Amino acid sequence: MKTISKYDSDYYEWSQEQSRLLRECQFDLLDVENLAEEIESLGKSDRRKARSLFVRLLEHLLKRRYVGIQECYRGWDVEIRNFSRAIFRILEDSPSLKNYLKEIADKCYQEAISSVEEEYELYDFSGGLNLEDVIKNLIEDKK
């Protein structure tokens, strides 16, 4: 019969206990399998968040450049700043994700194009964006 661990029954208590055990170097008492899974999921979560924010940024950059609805410009500009800042904060904490953004840039761009083309069928987005410039602006030091 399988016993239910604190991981399954009270995640918060489990996490606090694991943290305490780590600090006290009581490695033999750690729930290694679940700890490894949780650490791995943290990295995946950051990747998913960075990708999602990047797609949203690209969507708003495309709208701002190609959609001629001036009353929307201010809102799009605010969103562009917010998404850029959020991505920059993630990259500050996890600089290795800069390479990930470069790797997925084309896929994210295609996703963004599809999204804005569905939303704004009357506009032509074929002029595109310079992805290298977008990425460069995201990853350069903004002190």
Side-chain angles (χ1 to χ4, degrees):
M1 183 169 129
K2 184 179 178 183
T3 60
I4 297 177
S5 73
K6 285 184 185 173
Y7 178 80
D8 296 318
S9 64
D10 189 336
Y11 181 79
Y12 178 76
E13 184 179 349
W14 173 85
S15 68
Q16 298 307 297
E17 179 182 19
Q18 297 304 300
S19 177
R20 179 184 57 76
L21 292 170
L22 279 168
R23 284 188 180 88
E24 294 172 359
C25 298
Q26 295 184 28
F27 304 121
D28 56 325
L29 299 176
L30 289 171
D31 180 355
V32 175
E33 187 61 37
N34 285 321
L35 268 174
E37 190 175 310
E38 289 302 316
I39 290 169
E40 184 178 28
S41 74
L42 290 172
K44 288 179 182 178
S45 175
D46 278 354
R47 281 171 48 123
R48 283 190 299 271
K49 189 173 183 179
R51 180 188 175 104
S52 176
L53 289 167
F54 189 45
V55 170
R56 297 297 314 272
L57 171 65
L58 293 172
E59 289 170 352
H60 283 78
L61 287 168
L62 286 163
K63 290 178 198 180
R64 183 60 176 88
R65 178 172 288 173
Y66 295 104
V67 178
I69 306 174
Q70 291 186 0
E71 54 271 13
C72 294
Y73 287 0
R74 184 178 184 289
W76 291 335
D77 289 342
V78 168
E79 291 292 73
I80 289 166
R81 279 193 307 275
N82 290 340
F83 290 130
S84 295
R85 287 175 184 153
I87 293 168
F88 186 75
R89 284 191 301 272
I90 290 172
L91 296 178
E92 272 187 317
D93 290 340
S94 302
S96 64
L97 288 178
K98 291 175 184 178
N99 291 329
Y100 174 67
L101 281 185
K102 291 175 186 176
E103 291 170 18
I104 64 168
D106 288 330
K107 286 183 182 179
C108 290
Y109 181 67
Q110 291 308 312
E111 189 176 329
I113 285 280
S114 294
S115 176
V116 294
E117 284 178 339
E118 285 177 20
E119 190 174 357
Y120 297 96
E121 297 172 348
L122 301 177
Y123 293 91
D124 179 15
F125 297 95
S126 63
L129 297 172
N130 184 328
L131 282 178
E132 286 182 28
D133 286 345
V134 172
I135 292 170
K136 180 182 174 198
N137 288 331
L138 283 173
I139 63 176
E140 66 187 23
D141 194 6
K142 298 186 182 201
K143 290 184 179 177

